[in-house]
Amino acid sequence: QVQLVESGGGLVQAGGSLRLSCATSRRTFSSYSMGWFRQAPGKEREFVAGIRFSGITTSYADSVKGRFTISRDNAKSTVYLQMNSLKPDDTAVYYCAATTGGFTIATMRYWGQGTQVTVSS
């Protein structure tokens, strides 16, 4: 059983920052590209950011470009999501996921349990 464990969520004021972390086993980490998704109340889960296993190629949803940065530390088998200039619309449960394909909900093979991010206005 592959486990992805997220941490770092919480309550922050608009304009603030948070850094999410997702830890997993080394074998999983070296084999998969990693992504972050989010789901707000009453809305569908959506892609936020992704990073290929090489760590070189990244992609972002238009709504977070320039504010969020995804990175990975292969030595720690951890992927991060640095979130700056947070807005109330960023409030959601954030999920870490692993894939050998594209960054879509259908192609993500493993999912974490999610961590809540709440941005107050």
Side-chain angles (χ1 to χ4, degrees), residues 5-28:
V5 181
E6 302 105 329
S7 60
L11 173 64
V12 64
Q13 289 187 332
S17 298
L18 282 175
R19 188 177 79 157
L20 305 182
S21 300
C22 174
T24 185
S25 66
R26 174 173 293 185
R27 183 165 66 91
T28 300

Side-chain angles (χ1 to χ4, degrees), residues 42-70:
K43 295 187 177 181
E44 294 185 350
R45 192 170 298 189
E46 64 178 4
F47 170 76
V48 175
I51 186 166
R52 291 296 176 192
F53 64 87
S54 66
I56 296 175
T57 304
T58 59
S59 57
Y60 296 92
D62 288 343
S63 58
V64 306
K65 280 181 181 176
R67 300 188 299 121
F68 291 11
T69 302
I70 189 171

Side-chain angles (χ1 to χ4, degrees), residues 20 34-40 44-51 58-70 80-84 86 89-97 103-105 108 111 117:
L20 305 182
M34 304 296 293
W36 287 97
F37 291 73
R38 68 186 181 186
Q39 188 166 18
E44 294 185 350
R45 192 170 298 189
E46 64 178 4
F47 170 76
V48 175
I51 186 166
T58 59
S59 57
Y60 296 92
D62 288 343
S63 58
V64 306
K65 280 181 181 176
R67 300 188 299 121
F68 291 11
T69 302
I70 189 171
Y80 303 98
L81 185 67
Q82 178 66 43
M83 306 185 294
N84 299 328
L86 283 161
D89 285 348
D90 294 318
T91 295
V93 176
Y94 283 71
Y95 297 90
C96 171
F103 294 115
T104 69
I105 293 173
M108 304 311 285
W111 293 86
V117 172

